[in-house]
Amino acid sequence: MRSRKIEEAIFRGIMIAATLVVLSCSILILATILIKGLPAMNLDMITKTPKGGYYLGKSGGILNAIVGSILLTGGATLVSIFLSLPVALYANVYADKSSKLIAFTRVSLDVLWGVPSIVYGAFGFTIMLFLGLKASLLGGIIAVALLIFPIMSRGMDEVMRMVPKELLNSSYALGATRFETALKVVVRQALPGILSAVLIAFGRGIGDAASVIFTAGFSDRINFSLFEPAATLPLAIFFQLGTPFPEVQERAYASALILTIIVFLISIGSRILIRRYSKHVIK
Amino acid sequence: MESTSHITVQNLNVYYGDNHALKDITINIPDKQITAIIGPSGCGKTTLLRAFNRLIDTVDGVRITGKVLVDGEDIFDPRADVTMVRKKMGLLSQRPYPLPMSIFDNVAYGPKIHGIRKKKVLEEIVEHHLKMASLWEEVRDRLHEPASRLSIGQQQRLCLARGLAVEPEFILADEPTSALDPKSSLYIENRFRELRSQFSIILVTHILRQARRLADYIVFLYLGELIEHGPVNEIFENPREERTREYIRGVIS
């Protein structure tokens, strides 16, 4: 009897310790960017583009990278949704449960999930050469879409697997086609999970530097054209950290803070959306 | 009998992989009556029911031979339009599965799919069929709330209304009261009594008393074989087959 209680206490201890490690890591990271970044934080950072000599410590901001990152990751997320939804719906509504193609697809996506982002950057670059594109917003969108596609599609796939088969049957029994069932029943039932898959993929995409370094390039101007280079926050952080000037390095931390706040805001926004759309979910 | 039968099954065999689930079933389902399919678990009751609206198609590795004629057309013919076959059948399953949408949209789902767009018409359809399922009074003020907020018994009546809204000819019910409390079960049974003049109802049940008090016609399956079928009194009072007698007496199950 006593040994079972000790066992319980040990496992409790391990779980608490693990939770504390994770929690303290995130607190430490947040504290670091807050302490180092706040002194350099000002309105100019988020309202101005880099002026001449910005990287030497002169005035300016990183609005170019904020706009660039949002456009690029937003675009990549959209592209990825249009790739991921059909894959997840095919695997869960159309294909046989025992389909070898689907099993193979799932394994491939899991492998792709683990491929380092620099490889997606290089692969995206190859595609760009093939299409005759130079470093541009479009190039970055392609590379980041490829990077986040496995994450998004597997996330959607997992939530759609949880949709009860009987729910699909009740739709079929009314004479609905598979397409109608997929769009009107499966997507609605899985919507909260689909939204969080999109959010996780967006968060992964907006923070990635390696996939955009060759493909999106960098620009000190705000650019809305798909075919011009676009600045991104991770690269802005990278360039500013790489300078020998402490005040510019501080701005790198301020940029990191901005990036974190963007992810945080989107996370809160999607949580509100998820709550709103989960009221119809059948348990 | 032949002329009034809307569903005719001819030499139907169903295999799940190596499992021969239904063995050479041939039967006429009588029109505008309640037919109860009875038999022990695993005897193929649900399989037979799901052959009628081809939901059986969605099972992996299923193989079907023989014919099921609905209104004279073989529904397993490759040229048959499966959505039209299913439109003729309202399904009520063991556990209610409302669709992930509002009460109103649940009932309007079928009619919308089959091309009704006008809001006014849809409103009438929804009200009419919720009344038929005797749910209207309870939900009239909260039609746009999620269906998931209803109780299980209400959900089952919602599923009935949803099935009726596509104006089927048949109601297929697969142990429709097995997840319900006694009061909700009684509700469903009473609805069936009212609906029997308009629809042919096929009811799968493992509750013999329910079959006896509700059904006009009994189909007894045992291990995938059709053992006996006939009017309810004949089967319960005077079964021809030994296995039917034993099942009804509770000797075999």
Side-chain angles (χ1 to χ4, degrees):
Chain A
M1 207 55 216
R2 264 198 65 187
S3 73
R4 292 179 62 202
K5 280 209 172 128
I6 294 170
E7 206 175 77
E8 183 79 10
I10 291 172
F11 275 99
R12 227 180 124 89
I14 292 173
M15 286 184 273
I16 291 172
T19 312
L20 283 180
V21 167
V22 173
L23 215 62
S24 48
C25 278
S26 18
I27 290 173
L28 273 174
I29 292 172
L30 273 178
T32 310
I33 55 173
L34 274 174
I35 292 166
K36 295 202 173 175
L38 270 184
M41 213 31 181
N42 54 43
L43 209 58
D44 279 5
M45 279 297 281
I46 55 168
T47 54
K48 290 198 172 135
T49 56
K51 295 287 167 322
Y54 173 79
Y55 298 103
L56 304 169
K58 298 251 177 63
S59 75
I62 49 149
L63 184 62
N64 59 328
I66 297 175
V67 173
S69 262
I70 290 175
L71 286 179
L72 195 151
T73 318
T77 305
L78 269 181
V79 171
S80 186
I81 289 173
F82 283 108
L83 290 173
S84 303
L85 257 186
V87 169
L89 286 174
Y90 182 76
N92 291 288
V93 181
Y94 283 80
D96 281 359
K97 282 272 170 294
S98 53
S99 159
K100 293 221 165 52
L101 175 68
I102 295 306
F104 179 70
T105 306
R106 287 197 172 113
V107 173
S108 318
L109 287 173
D110 287 345
V111 172
L112 286 176
W113 190 320
V115 169
S117 55
I118 187 77
V119 177
Y120 285 102
F123 181 60
F125 191 65
T126 324
I127 294 180
M128 284 162 53
L129 287 181
F130 179 72
L131 295 175
L133 286 170
K134 57 173 182 158
S136 59
L137 185 57
L138 182 61
I141 287 177
I142 293 172
V144 174
L146 289 172
L147 169 74
I148 63 179
F149 162 66
I151 301 169
M152 201 188 279
S153 51
R154 279 296 272 136
M156 289 181 180
D157 180 41
E158 284 303 324
V159 291
M160 287 185 194
R161 279 169 108 167
M162 310 279 283
V163 175
K165 196 162 183 292
E166 282 300 314
L167 194 58
L168 303 187
N169 283 345
S170 14
S171 171
Y172 296 145
L174 294 164
T177 59
R178 281 182 197 253
F179 182 68
E180 286 158 343
T181 305
L183 237 54
K184 293 180 182 166
V185 177
V186 177
V187 169
R188 288 186 83 154
Q189 172 75 3
L191 200 54
I194 292 173
L195 284 175
S196 43
V198 170
L199 170 75
I200 291 168
F202 181 91
R204 176 85 170 80
I206 201 168
D208 195 72
S211 58
V212 290
I213 194 159
F214 307 126
T215 51
F218 201 81
S219 161
D220 280 351
R221 284 177 300 121
I222 295 175
N223 155 45
F224 291 99
S225 163
L226 278 174
F227 303 102
E228 295 296 321
T232 46
L233 278 166
L235 285 185
I237 296 169
F238 177 68
F239 293 146
Q240 293 174 107
L241 266 183
T243 63
F245 312 108
E247 61 268 40
V248 181
Q249 289 177 359
E250 270 184 357
R251 284 183 189 158
Y253 285 101
S255 313
L257 186 58
I258 292 167
L259 179 56
T260 312
I261 289 170
I262 292 176
V263 173
F264 182 70
L265 287 180
I266 286 176
S267 167
I268 298 223
S270 61
R271 251 158 232 281
I272 293 169
L273 277 181
I274 288 170
R275 189 158 307 156
R276 192 143 154 219
Y277 284 111
S278 58
K279 67 173 186 179
H280 284 300
V281 170
I282 306 297
K283 279 169 207 88
Chain B
M1 210 52 203
E2 287 286 337
S3 57
T4 56
S5 180
H6 270 115
I7 297 185
T8 306
V9 184
Q10 291 173 353
N11 307 101
L12 181 71
N13 284 282
V14 176
Y15 307 82
Y16 297 125
D18 297 330
N19 175 19
H20 195 172
L22 281 183
K23 296 169 188 162
D24 209 35
I25 308 286
T26 297
I27 190 178
N28 286 327
I29 305 288
D31 195 17
K32 301 278 154 70
Q33 291 192 13
I34 299 181
T35 302
I37 305 174
I38 61 169
S41 341
C43 69
K45 301 188 292 282
T46 300
T47 300
L48 182 58
L49 193 78
R50 298 202 159 197
F52 294 154
N53 66 354
R54 283 188 56 182
L55 262 192
I56 205 171
D57 291 14
T58 63
V59 179
D60 275 1
V62 72
R63 200 158 59 78
I64 299 150
T65 65
K67 283 182 179 174
V68 175
L69 303 174
V70 175
D71 297 338
E73 283 173 54
D74 181 13
I75 61 169
F76 286 107
D77 189 305
R79 282 163 299 175
D81 180 358
V82 67
T83 58
M84 291 322 284
V85 170
R86 288 179 183 153
K87 187 180 175 296
K88 288 182 183 174
M89 315 268 170
L91 177 76
L92 214 52
S93 54
Q94 286 186 21
R95 245 202 69 188
Y97 275 98
L99 300 170
M101 45 189 83
S102 71
I103 296 168
F104 183 94
D105 288 339
N106 257 277
V107 185
Y109 181 80
K112 271 189 196 163
I113 279 175
H114 297 290
I116 297 174
R117 286 275 171 273
K118 285 200 183 110
K119 201 161 174 268
K120 190 96 187 108
V121 181
L122 285 172
E123 278 169 3
E124 280 164 14
I125 290 175
V126 169
E127 181 177 342
H128 177 72
H129 292 97
L130 281 172
K131 278 178 179 163
M132 262 174 109
S134 77
L135 188 62
W136 175 251
E137 291 305 320
E138 291 157 64
V139 300
R140 57 184 305 170
D141 299 322
R142 47 183 183 133
L143 288 174
H144 296 285
E145 271 186 31
S148 55
R149 287 201 196 138
L150 297 173
S151 74
I152 295 285
Q154 288 172 325
Q155 286 183 12
Q156 192 65 306
R157 276 180 280 147
L158 179 68
C159 290
L160 180 62
R162 180 181 71 189
L164 293 173
V166 295
E167 302 191 331
E169 297 168 28
F170 305 89
I171 296 173
L172 309 179
D174 186 3
E175 298 182 16
T177 61
S178 64
L180 306 185
D181 59 89
K183 196 174 161 224
S184 303
S185 304
L186 195 66
Y187 242 105
I188 293 286
E189 286 190 15
N190 286 338
R191 292 295 76 69
F192 279 6
R193 284 200 185 86
E194 289 168 16
L195 295 170
R196 97 166 95 194
S197 58
Q198 301 165 56
F199 301 92
S200 306
I201 300 175
I202 302 165
L203 168 76
V204 163
T205 182
H206 61 270
I207 312 166
L208 285 175
R209 272 168 292 129
Q210 186 177 52
R212 196 165 191 167
R213 66 179 172 249
L214 217 51
D216 307 296
Y217 199 81
I218 301 284
V219 176
F220 175 57
L221 296 180
Y222 188 70
L223 299 177
E225 281 177 66
L226 174 62
I227 305 297
E228 192 170 352
H229 59 100
V232 63
N233 290 334
E234 228 170 81
I235 298 283
F236 277 101
E237 310 293 338
N238 204 1
R240 289 190 303 273
E241 294 284 331
E242 185 57 30
R243 274 174 294 186
T244 317
R245 193 169 304 138
E246 285 178 347
Y247 179 69
I248 286 166
R249 270 202 261 122
V251 181
I252 53 172
S253 62

